[in-house]
Amino acid sequence: QSVLTQPPSVSAAPGQKVTISCSGSRSNVGINYVSWFQQLPGTAPKLLIHDNTARPSGIPDRFSASKSGTSATLDISGLQTGDEADYHCGAWDTNLDSYVFGTGTTVTVL
Amino acid sequence: QVHLQESGPGLVKPSETLSLTCFVSGVSISDYFWSWIRQPPGKGLEYIGYIHPRGNSLYSPSLKSRVTIAADTSRSQLSLTLRSVTDTDTAVYYCARHEEVPFIRRGFDYWGQGSLATVSS
């Protein structure tokens, strides 16, 4: 059902950086705004990034995002054990006239 | 502060109707849009649809024929009705708030804790 493609998992040591990609198409990532959500184990998703690059109040600047063409990227720098979670991207799809999510990426801190 | 709390029956039989409620506190539901999103066990998020209590609503094409989302401003509640369920409808169902449509550029800023609905005979 997921329209946006993410890598199933990424991992790195504490203090390192991970990058999560979100690949879509023109009708979603290409022309609409991307959000990113963090889902800690056993909890509800939490808004991490909106408007492609903006962080809500309280989200540390270790989390940053960008978008180019039909792909978006979430970077997590200075990785901490508390960052172990699933990360989901999302965007409106103009063709489907509905919101779509990515396949989700599990971040593991080695 | 804003708080969303989903509730539901937990277990639903195949072909029957799933009904879920989301109680909202800390804000007037009339001032925002409200979406339902589900997550099958071990899988990603799936969008279901949204409502604005003043009358605007939209459903995902894949679920449109079976879903109804409603709002009760007097009770500060949203509801989700999913008809003719099958085991593929087993999921944690979340309600979430957003500020605008249709592009939802600012994302879903408040989420409930989720309600697990299992479809099984």
Side-chain angles (χ1 to χ4, degrees), chain A:
Chain A
Q1 291 267 1
S2 298
V3 174
L4 308 180
T5 301
Q6 300 178 234
S9 64
V10 296
S11 61
Q16 297 299 303
K17 173 183 169 181
V18 293
T19 297
I20 302 170
S21 60
C22 173
S23 178
S25 63
R26 183 180 183 277
S27 65
N28 41 66
V29 175
I31 59 172
N32 291 311
Y33 292 88
V34 177
S35 292
W36 289 90
F37 306 89
Q38 177 193 57
Q39 187 175 25
L40 297 170
T43 70
K46 170 186 173 183
L47 181 64
L48 208 58
I49 297 286
H50 62 86
D51 283 271
N52 296 330
T53 61
R55 285 186 305 277
S57 174
I59 302 299
D61 59 7
R62 300 187 298 105
F63 295 91
S64 63
S66 61
K67 190 183 91 168
S68 178
T70 58
S71 289
T73 299
L74 174 70
D75 289 323
I76 310 174
S77 59
L79 202 60
Q80 301 176 0
T81 56
D83 297 332
E84 287 201 327
D86 291 331
Y87 292 81
H88 310 270
C89 61
W92 187 263
D93 190 297
T94 301
N95 284 353
L96 295 175
D97 200 21
S98 182
Y99 202 84
V100 292
F101 288 99
T103 47
T105 299
T106 298
V107 169
T108 301
V109 181
L110 301 173

